[in-house]
Amino acid sequence: MASKRINVLVYSGNGSTVESVRHCMYTLRRLLSPNYAVISVTGETIIKEPWTASCALLVFPGGADLGYCRTLNGEGNRKIKQFVQRGGAYLGLCAGGYYGSQRCEFEVGNKKMEVIGSRELAFYPGTCRGCAFSGFVYHSEEGTRAVELQAEKTALAKGSVPDVFRSYYNGGGVFVDAPKYKDQGVEVLASYSQPLGVDSGEGAAAVIYCKVGEGSAVLTGPHPEFAPENLDKKADGPGFAKVVDELAKDTKPRVDFLKACLVKLGLEANQEQSAVPSLSRLHLSSLQPADTSELVASLQEIISSQDGEEYIKDENDTFRLEKQPSTWTLSSLVNALPGYSNVKTDGVDDGADRLRDYDTVIKHIVIHEKEHPACKETPYFNHHAFFANLKHYQSTLKEADGEFGKHLLYGEVVTSTNTMLEKNAKLLRHLPTGFTASATVQVAGRGRGSNVWVSPAGSLMFSTCVRHSIASNNKAPIVFVQYLAALAIVQGIKTYDKGYKDVPVKLKWPNDIYALDPTKPTTPKSYVKVGGILVNSHYSSSEYLAVVGIGLNTTNPAPTTSLNALLPPHLSPFTLEKLLARILSTFDDLYTRFLRTGFDKHFEEMYYDHWLHTEQIVTLEAEGGVRAKIKGITRDWGLLLAEELGWEDRGTGKVWQLQSDSNSFDFFRGLVKRKV
């Protein structure tokens, strides 16, 4: 079994700057979505978690590379170097370029700023020397310039590559004598055209490619990822506004060059940039429209009024409540369309394609108390189809009363359904079990540790509230909610309709959904990830408030495959509305039974019927490389059971109980990192 590499990890730990990380993530998401998930990671993640198997590219942005050294020298750099040597890719931008060279020489002779020393990664076998141009000042734009770069088109054979372009520069280096290392796999991708302030030896290499074992690295002195639309012309430094204007003139050739670099590293870059979408209005509705009024009434104590408008001002977000008009006028219909906003506030999402702080944008909730949202209001989600299917499935339930999905909050473009619920404690405390938030596109999706689920259109994305009393926890521990969610997904897919029971989906313990790869031969079987689950819970007033977040590739083929790609020709494709209704109704029934019986033998057998790991042999790294065979999970706390193997892989009788932290387990490489 092989796991497709879909993560692009951007280092945001000690040494990096907030602005460099934000610029990096903004540009890479535009160029790589939806094929990759671009997320930030800390040094602790790099050192302690098994991130390498799912990582397509590791990026070190601008900052100060001494901070990188302090955090990652030793074990961290060993893992990075091994990752690249085994086929991974590394992108070092400015400080990340210094860090990826064998030797760093920065402002030699300047007692206040001088940095000289060897570096452990040493992807470039020579020296990165800077500053290439004078005037650099930390945390300032004073030394910034729009440097002219000459691209080496023969080294970038794929894509549209410019001859000359300008790029943001602020403190980066030059790769000394880069042409001399050609026989060691070094290629110059771009050179500085203007006279330098330091000795560059042979050539004036600004961007280089380094072959490293089975992998590769691209190192830069300038910042080709910095987009002028995200730069403040009023920032300090003489003539900075002119620099921004010069960069704006060369946006297309700069982006084309960066795309060519990504392709050179083995990534699949978009031919067209994906614009960062604007947040849309949210629509609150219920299976019975009158129940929406009852729900809003229960929120009255957290609703405040200001200038005749009603708001919920919570810890992470501010929501403005809007009543559905009794009759639609042209202006009111336009106001409700996705992406439209005529409200002028400090944080309004004005639709401009640039970096945004989504937390400051007021989220508008349209309350539908008389009828479900019309298709014109939510063209990418049919509420009538969802509620009709939910009502049908609820009529078949054996245990539940039909609470899951009864209330739905939907937005075409949202930050993250999990964030909207879990990070807003006032709202969460007033929501009933089964309340669900769903979206067509997420722009700030959340994942666990270094794992994240890409959130393009075509994915089924939703989060559901579960209020789990402490009294229930004795018989039915809250930890099993993630297992119930996984079961609900798989069973919901297989009972979607007649003929779907053989759809080849499986559970990867504890919280991922995998499918048989339709592009690979059936022998040996190859599985790819099609879904993930993230459960966050808080304890409050004698109960756990859990938010169960689910992402499932349904109609979109990227970044791995989709459920629809698994179907034989005679079956109708899955629709998001019907599948959401089926999973929620199944989850409802499983959770209700779980409260009555706990995770009993019935649940255990049901779980094993769908999981990937029966009799799988793994290595317990934390125990010195002991080999063990997976036997199951415990029924009390859902811990993984692994029996130690001895001579000829015979069981020794010693059984390990392992914690349910998905970041500690890399099943597809046969590694288990930690034990309880």
Side-chain angles (χ1 to χ4, degrees):
M1 294 182 291
S3 181
K4 184 176 179 180
R5 295 183 172 189
I6 63 169
N7 288 341
V8 171
L9 306 183
V10 178
Y11 176 78
S12 61
N14 186 26
S16 66
T17 65
V18 173
E19 284 305 304
S20 290
V21 172
R22 293 184 70 206
H23 277 280
C24 189
M25 295 185 68
Y26 167 86
T27 296
L28 291 179
R29 280 175 171 166
R30 285 168 59 92
L31 298 182
L32 298 175
S33 175
N35 297 304
Y36 304 92
V38 182
I39 55 174
S40 61
V41 292
T42 64
E44 183 179 16
T45 297
I46 289 175
I47 293 169
K48 295 183 178 180
E49 306 296 353
W51 51 271
T52 58
S54 60
C55 180
L57 174 67
L58 179 64
V59 184
F60 272 70
D65 96 315
L66 277 180
Y68 304 165
C69 295
R70 294 188 188 102
T71 299
L72 297 167
N73 274 357
E75 178 61 16
N77 285 336
R78 183 193 68 80
K79 289 185 69 174
I80 295 171
K81 198 164 186 175
Q82 186 181 75
F83 161 70
V84 177
Q85 289 173 335
R86 292 180 175 179
Y90 173 96
L91 176 61
L93 302 161
C94 195
Y98 286 112
Y99 190 56
S101 301
Q102 187 176 66
R103 181 174 174 82
C104 169
E105 294 182 3
F106 180 80
E107 289 295 285
V108 176
N110 183 332
K111 293 183 179 180
K112 292 184 178 180
M113 299 175 66
E114 181 179 271
V115 177
I116 304 174
S118 60
R119 296 292 181 262
E120 292 180 349
L121 294 181
F123 297 139
Y124 174 55
T127 297
C128 183
R129 181 177 293 153
C131 296
F133 300 94
S134 61
F136 173 74
V137 179
Y138 276 112
H139 310 298
S140 168
E141 301 288 3
E142 285 190 29
T144 300
R145 61 179 65 199
V147 295
E148 186 177 273
L149 300 177
Q150 177 75 44
E152 299 291 341
K153 301 181 77 169
T154 56
L156 295 166
K158 295 182 179 179
S160 175
V161 181
D163 291 311
V164 177
F165 67 97
R166 283 169 290 189
S167 174
Y168 178 97
Y169 170 90
N170 195 7
V174 59
F175 300 94
V176 179
D177 289 326
K180 293 183 178 180
Y181 295 99
K182 184 176 181 180
D183 61 346
Q184 296 184 46
V186 174
E187 300 176 51
V188 177
L189 304 184
S191 300
Y192 295 110
S193 300
Q194 298 147 313
L196 302 180
V198 294
D199 181 8
S200 64
E202 182 180 333
V207 183
I208 59 172
Y209 170 88
C210 307
K211 183 63 178 172
V212 184
E214 297 178 7
S216 56
V218 167
L219 310 179
T220 80
H223 282 278
E225 81 285 8
F226 270 44
E229 59 266 28
N230 296 320
L231 297 172
D232 182 5
K233 288 187 177 182
K234 299 178 182 178
D236 57 351
F240 185 62
K242 182 179 179 182
V243 170
V244 176
D245 289 338
E246 289 178 348
L247 293 172
K249 295 175 184 177
D250 278 6
T251 291
K252 186 180 186 306
R254 174 187 59 82
V255 171
D256 285 344
F257 174 80
L258 184 55
K259 284 196 289 188
C261 290
L262 293 170
V263 172
K264 181 99 174 165
L265 287 169
L267 279 81
E268 183 181 348
N270 296 327
Q271 293 305 308
E272 300 294 332
Q273 296 184 64
S274 299
V276 179
S278 302
L279 299 183
S280 66
R281 274 173 161 75
L282 303 166
H283 295 267
L284 179 62
S285 58
S286 303
L287 179 60
Q288 300 299 328
D291 290 340
T292 306
S293 301
E294 184 179 329
L295 177 63
V296 173
S298 72
L299 303 176
Q300 284 305 311
E301 67 178 60
I302 61 172
I303 296 176
S304 60
S305 296
Q306 180 179 332
D307 299 327
E309 303 290 348
E310 291 186 326
Y311 295 88
I312 296 176
K313 298 181 179 180
D314 219 319
E315 294 176 10
N316 194 78
D317 296 298
T318 295
F319 302 93
R320 176 184 158 182
L321 306 183
E322 302 175 2
K323 298 287 186 180
Q324 180 188 24
S326 55
T327 58
W328 286 105
T329 63
L330 179 60
S331 60
S332 62
L333 178 59
V334 171
N335 284 348
L337 289 174
Y340 182 87
S341 178
N342 61 358
V343 182
K344 301 301 180 184
T345 68
D346 291 338
V348 74
D349 188 3
D350 59 11
D353 189 15
R354 60 169 184 259
L355 281 169
R356 298 179 178 86
D357 183 355
Y358 287 112
D359 290 344
T360 65
V361 178
I362 293 178
K363 284 75 179 176
H364 298 247
I365 300 178
V366 181
I367 300 170
H368 296 264
E369 297 176 288
K370 296 182 179 179
E371 58 186 4
H372 297 147
C375 292
K376 289 184 178 180
E377 299 170 75
T378 60
Y380 295 97
F381 188 87
N382 187 325
H383 283 76
H384 296 280
F386 166 72
F387 284 119
N389 280 292
L390 183 67
K391 186 175 182 180
H392 165 70
Y393 288 133
Q394 286 179 346
S395 68
T396 67
L397 298 182
K398 298 178 181 178
E399 302 262 356
D401 294 327
E403 295 299 315
F404 284 53
K406 175 181 175 181
H407 302 292
L408 181 69
L409 181 66
Y410 166 80
E412 182 181 326
V413 182
V414 307
T415 51
S416 158
T417 56
N418 253 43
T419 296
M420 285 196 303
L421 300 184
E422 190 252 332
K423 293 296 183 182
N424 293 299
K426 293 178 185 177
L427 178 63
L428 180 60
R429 283 195 292 267
H430 288 77
L431 297 178
T433 289
F435 181 95
T436 297
S438 185
T440 295
V441 174
Q442 291 187 152
V443 294
R446 299 176 61 202
R448 183 192 297 269
S450 62
N451 297 323
V452 72
W453 192 238
V454 185
S455 307
S459 291
L460 176 59
M461 295 169 285
F462 66 97
S463 299
T464 298
C465 298
V466 175
R467 306 179 73 102
H468 194 80
S469 71
I470 191 65
S472 301
N473 205 56
N474 293 327
K475 175 186 287 187
I478 185 71
V479 69
F480 282 102
V481 168
Q482 64 181 331
Y483 301 151
L484 299 181
L487 280 172
I489 294 170
V490 173
Q491 290 197 349
I493 292 169
K494 291 177 175 291
T495 61
Y496 176 83
D497 212 329
K498 292 180 179 179
Y500 291 77
K501 64 181 179 62
D502 294 324
V503 176
V505 288
K506 292 283 187 180
L507 309 176
K508 175 179 172 284
W509 185 88
N511 52 16
D512 286 327
I513 309 300
Y514 273 68
L516 196 63
D517 189 343
T519 67
K520 301 287 179 65
T522 55
T523 304
K525 291 183 178 180
S526 178
Y527 287 88
V528 292
K529 183 176 177 180
V530 294
I533 302 163
L534 177 65
V535 180
N536 296 104
S537 63
H538 305 274
Y539 182 73
S540 175
S541 302
S542 299
E543 67 177 350
Y544 291 99
L545 301 177
V547 176
V548 183
I550 291 172
L552 189 62
N553 266 7
T554 306
T555 66
N556 54 303
T560 55
T561 190
S562 68
L563 293 181
N564 280 344
L566 307 176
L567 297 178
H570 67 279
L571 291 180
S572 298
F574 289 101
T575 66
L576 298 178
E577 296 87 350
K578 185 174 179 179
L579 185 58
L580 176 60
R582 189 56 184 137
I583 291 174
L584 285 172
S585 60
T586 305
F587 195 2
D588 197 355
D589 219 32
L590 292 173
Y591 180 69
T592 304
R593 187 186 191 283
F594 172 65
L595 292 177
R596 179 171 60 81
T597 68
F599 202 80
D600 60 5
K601 187 70 173 177
H602 173 77
F603 273 115
E604 187 179 30
E605 291 174 352
M606 191 189 311
Y607 192 80
Y608 294 154
D609 281 344
H610 297 302
W611 82 334
L612 285 166
H613 310 300
T614 302
E615 301 294 295
Q616 183 179 358
I617 295 176
V618 297
T619 300
L620 307 183
E621 284 198 341
E623 306 307 323
V626 171
R627 284 168 60 81
K629 182 178 289 186
I630 301 301
K631 305 302 290 185
I633 58 176
T634 66
R635 275 196 257 162
D636 51 2
W637 297 108
L639 302 177
L640 190 70
L641 293 171
E643 183 182 12
E644 184 182 55
L645 298 177
W647 184 67
E648 292 186 344
D649 281 345
R650 295 179 182 177
T652 66
K654 185 174 184 178
V655 177
W656 303 87
Q657 294 187 1
L658 304 158
Q659 63 186 5
S660 57
D661 177 354
S662 66
N663 283 327
S664 299
F665 299 89
D666 189 355
F667 273 118
F668 293 106
R669 290 184 59 211
L671 301 178
V672 181
K673 292 286 186 180
R674 304 174 186 160
K675 77 178 185 70
V676 177

